[in-house]
PDB file of all heavy atoms in Angstrom:
ATOM      1  N   THR A 253     -23.566   2.104   1.534  1.00  0.00           N
ATOM      2  CA  THR A 253     -24.508   2.124   0.407  1.00  0.00           C
ATOM      3  C   THR A 253     -23.865   2.508  -0.917  1.00  0.00           C
ATOM      4  O   THR A 253     -24.572   2.608  -1.935  1.00  0.00           O
ATOM      5  CB  THR A 253     -25.641   3.117   0.709  1.00  0.00           C
ATOM      6  OG1 THR A 253     -25.077   4.420   0.955  1.00  0.00           O
ATOM      7  CG2 THR A 253     -26.424   2.679   1.936  1.00  0.00           C
ATOM      8  N   ARG A 254     -22.533   2.703  -0.925  1.00  0.00           N
ATOM      9  CA  ARG A 254     -21.859   3.098  -2.167  1.00  0.00           C
ATOM     10  C   ARG A 254     -21.029   1.972  -2.767  1.00  0.00           C
ATOM     11  O   ARG A 254     -20.315   2.188  -3.747  1.00  0.00           O
ATOM     12  CB  ARG A 254     -20.959   4.311  -1.921  1.00  0.00           C
ATOM     13  CG  ARG A 254     -21.710   5.558  -1.474  1.00  0.00           C
ATOM     14  CD  ARG A 254     -20.763   6.734  -1.363  1.00  0.00           C
ATOM     15  NE  ARG A 254     -21.450   7.952  -0.927  1.00  0.00           N
ATOM     16  CZ  ARG A 254     -20.861   9.124  -0.762  1.00  0.00           C
ATOM     17  NH1 ARG A 254     -19.551   9.247  -0.990  1.00  0.00           N
ATOM     18  NH2 ARG A 254     -21.545  10.185  -0.366  1.00  0.00           N
ATOM     19  N   ILE A 255     -21.116   0.796  -2.196  1.00  0.00           N
ATOM     20  CA  ILE A 255     -20.314  -0.318  -2.703  1.00  0.00           C
ATOM     21  C   ILE A 255     -20.718  -0.649  -4.136  1.00  0.00           C
ATOM     22  O   ILE A 255     -21.895  -0.813  -4.441  1.00  0.00           O
ATOM     23  CB  ILE A 255     -20.486  -1.567  -1.814  1.00  0.00           C
ATOM     24  CG1 ILE A 255     -20.002  -1.282  -0.396  1.00  0.00           C
ATOM     25  CG2 ILE A 255     -19.704  -2.737  -2.391  1.00  0.00           C
ATOM     26  CD1 ILE A 255     -20.145  -2.474   0.538  1.00  0.00           C
ATOM     27  N   GLU A 256     -19.711  -0.738  -4.996  1.00  0.00           N
ATOM     28  CA  GLU A 256     -19.936  -1.103  -6.390  1.00  0.00           C
ATOM     29  C   GLU A 256     -19.427  -2.509  -6.698  1.00  0.00           C
ATOM     30  O   GLU A 256     -20.000  -3.203  -7.527  1.00  0.00           O
ATOM     31  CB  GLU A 256     -19.267  -0.087  -7.323  1.00  0.00           C
ATOM     32  CG  GLU A 256     -19.830   1.326  -7.198  1.00  0.00           C
ATOM     33  CD  GLU A 256     -19.123   2.307  -8.099  1.00  0.00           C
ATOM     34  OE1 GLU A 256     -18.237   1.864  -8.871  1.00  0.00           O
ATOM     35  OE2 GLU A 256     -19.438   3.511  -8.033  1.00  0.00           O
ATOM     36  N   GLU A 257     -18.332  -2.893  -6.047  1.00  0.00           N
ATOM     37  CA  GLU A 257     -17.776  -4.230  -6.250  1.00  0.00           C
ATOM     38  C   GLU A 257     -17.614  -4.915  -4.895  1.00  0.00           C
ATOM     39  O   GLU A 257     -17.031  -4.339  -3.972  1.00  0.00           O
ATOM     40  CB  GLU A 257     -16.422  -4.160  -6.961  1.00  0.00           C
ATOM     41  CG  GLU A 257     -16.484  -3.602  -8.376  1.00  0.00           C
ATOM     42  CD  GLU A 257     -15.150  -3.714  -9.094  1.00  0.00           C
ATOM     43  OE1 GLU A 257     -14.356  -4.619  -8.731  1.00  0.00           O
ATOM     44  OE2 GLU A 257     -14.891  -2.903  -9.997  1.00  0.00           O
ATOM     45  N   MET A 258     -18.109  -6.150  -4.796  1.00  0.00           N
ATOM     46  CA  MET A 258     -18.000  -6.883  -3.543  1.00  0.00           C
ATOM     47  C   MET A 258     -17.719  -8.356  -3.832  1.00  0.00           C
ATOM     48  O   MET A 258     -18.389  -8.978  -4.662  1.00  0.00           O
ATOM     49  CB  MET A 258     -19.268  -6.743  -2.702  1.00  0.00           C
ATOM     50  CG  MET A 258     -19.153  -7.399  -1.325  1.00  0.00           C
ATOM     51  SD  MET A 258     -20.498  -6.945  -0.206  1.00  0.00           S
ATOM     52  CE  MET A 258     -21.866  -7.783  -1.001  1.00  0.00           C
ATOM     53  N   ASN A 259     -16.716  -8.868  -3.146  1.00  0.00           N
ATOM     54  CA  ASN A 259     -16.338 -10.272  -3.275  1.00  0.00           C
ATOM     55  C   ASN A 259     -16.497 -10.936  -1.912  1.00  0.00           C
ATOM     56  O   ASN A 259     -15.737 -10.665  -0.987  1.00  0.00           O
ATOM     57  CB  ASN A 259     -14.896 -10.388  -3.764  1.00  0.00           C
ATOM     58  CG  ASN A 259     -14.521 -11.819  -4.140  1.00  0.00           C
ATOM     59  OD1 ASN A 259     -15.102 -12.782  -3.651  1.00  0.00           O
ATOM     60  ND2 ASN A 259     -13.527 -11.947  -5.000  1.00  0.00           N
ATOM     61  N   VAL A 260     -17.522 -11.781  -1.775  1.00  0.00           N
ATOM     62  CA  VAL A 260     -17.761 -12.512  -0.523  1.00  0.00           C
ATOM     63  C   VAL A 260     -17.758 -14.013  -0.812  1.00  0.00           C
ATOM     64  O   VAL A 260     -18.498 -14.775  -0.188  1.00  0.00           O
ATOM     65  CB  VAL A 260     -19.093 -12.080   0.129  1.00  0.00           C
ATOM     66  CG1 VAL A 260     -18.969 -10.704   0.750  1.00  0.00           C
ATOM     67  CG2 VAL A 260     -20.235 -12.109  -0.885  1.00  0.00           C
ATOM     68  N   SER A 261     -16.920 -14.424  -1.739  1.00  0.00           N
ATOM     69  CA  SER A 261     -16.871 -15.835  -2.131  1.00  0.00           C
ATOM     70  C   SER A 261     -16.088 -16.663  -1.120  1.00  0.00           C
ATOM     71  O   SER A 261     -15.153 -16.182  -0.480  1.00  0.00           O
ATOM     72  CB  SER A 261     -16.232 -15.968  -3.514  1.00  0.00           C
ATOM     73  OG  SER A 261     -14.898 -15.472  -3.501  1.00  0.00           O
ATOM     74  N   TRP A 262     -16.516 -17.924  -0.975  1.00  0.00           N
ATOM     75  CA  TRP A 262     -15.793 -18.913  -0.188  1.00  0.00           C
ATOM     76  C   TRP A 262     -15.524 -18.478   1.255  1.00  0.00           C
ATOM     77  O   TRP A 262     -14.515 -18.856   1.843  1.00  0.00           O
ATOM     78  CB  TRP A 262     -14.490 -19.304  -0.870  1.00  0.00           C
ATOM     79  CG  TRP A 262     -14.703 -19.985  -2.179  1.00  0.00           C
ATOM     80  CD1 TRP A 262     -14.629 -19.410  -3.419  1.00  0.00           C
ATOM     81  CD2 TRP A 262     -15.070 -21.353  -2.381  1.00  0.00           C
ATOM     82  NE1 TRP A 262     -14.927 -20.342  -4.402  1.00  0.00           N
ATOM     83  CE2 TRP A 262     -15.199 -21.556  -3.787  1.00  0.00           C
ATOM     84  CE3 TRP A 262     -15.292 -22.446  -1.525  1.00  0.00           C
ATOM     85  CZ2 TRP A 262     -15.536 -22.792  -4.334  1.00  0.00           C
ATOM     86  CZ3 TRP A 262     -15.637 -23.672  -2.087  1.00  0.00           C
ATOM     87  CH2 TRP A 262     -15.751 -23.835  -3.467  1.00  0.00           C
ATOM     88  N   CYS A 263     -16.393 -17.685   1.805  1.00  0.00           N
ATOM     89  CA  CYS A 263     -16.289 -17.341   3.220  1.00  0.00           C
ATOM     90  C   CYS A 263     -16.877 -18.474   4.062  1.00  0.00           C
ATOM     91  O   CYS A 263     -17.592 -19.346   3.560  1.00  0.00           O
ATOM     92  CB  CYS A 263     -17.038 -16.037   3.517  1.00  0.00           C
ATOM     93  SG  CYS A 263     -16.332 -14.579   2.729  1.00  0.00           S
ATOM     94  N   ASP A 264     -16.572 -18.451   5.340  1.00  0.00           N
ATOM     95  CA  ASP A 264     -17.119 -19.445   6.265  1.00  0.00           C
ATOM     96  C   ASP A 264     -18.539 -19.014   6.649  1.00  0.00           C
ATOM     97  O   ASP A 264     -18.793 -18.589   7.777  1.00  0.00           O
ATOM     98  CB  ASP A 264     -16.216 -19.568   7.492  1.00  0.00           C
ATOM     99  CG  ASP A 264     -16.657 -20.677   8.431  1.00  0.00           C
ATOM    100  OD1 ASP A 264     -17.434 -21.547   7.993  1.00  0.00           O
ATOM    101  OD2 ASP A 264     -16.251 -20.662   9.616  1.00  0.00           O
ATOM    102  N   PHE A 265     -19.441 -19.129   5.682  1.00  0.00           N
ATOM    103  CA  PHE A 265     -20.800 -18.626   5.844  1.00  0.00           C
ATOM    104  C   PHE A 265     -21.799 -19.766   6.016  1.00  0.00           C
ATOM    105  O   PHE A 265     -21.660 -20.840   5.407  1.00  0.00           O
ATOM    106  CB  PHE A 265     -21.218 -17.805   4.622  1.00  0.00           C
ATOM    107  CG  PHE A 265     -20.680 -16.397   4.614  1.00  0.00           C
ATOM    108  CD1 PHE A 265     -20.936 -15.555   3.539  1.00  0.00           C
ATOM    109  CD2 PHE A 265     -19.928 -15.903   5.670  1.00  0.00           C
ATOM    110  CE1 PHE A 265     -20.450 -14.262   3.514  1.00  0.00           C
ATOM    111  CE2 PHE A 265     -19.429 -14.612   5.658  1.00  0.00           C
ATOM    112  CZ  PHE A 265     -19.694 -13.786   4.578  1.00  0.00           C
TER     113      PHE A 265
END
Side-chain angles (χ1 to χ4, degrees):
T253 58
R254 298 185 180 181
I255 298 180
E256 297 178 4
E257 296 187 26
M258 185 168 69
N259 190 335
V260 286
S261 61
W262 296 99
C263 294
D264 185 17
F265 280 177

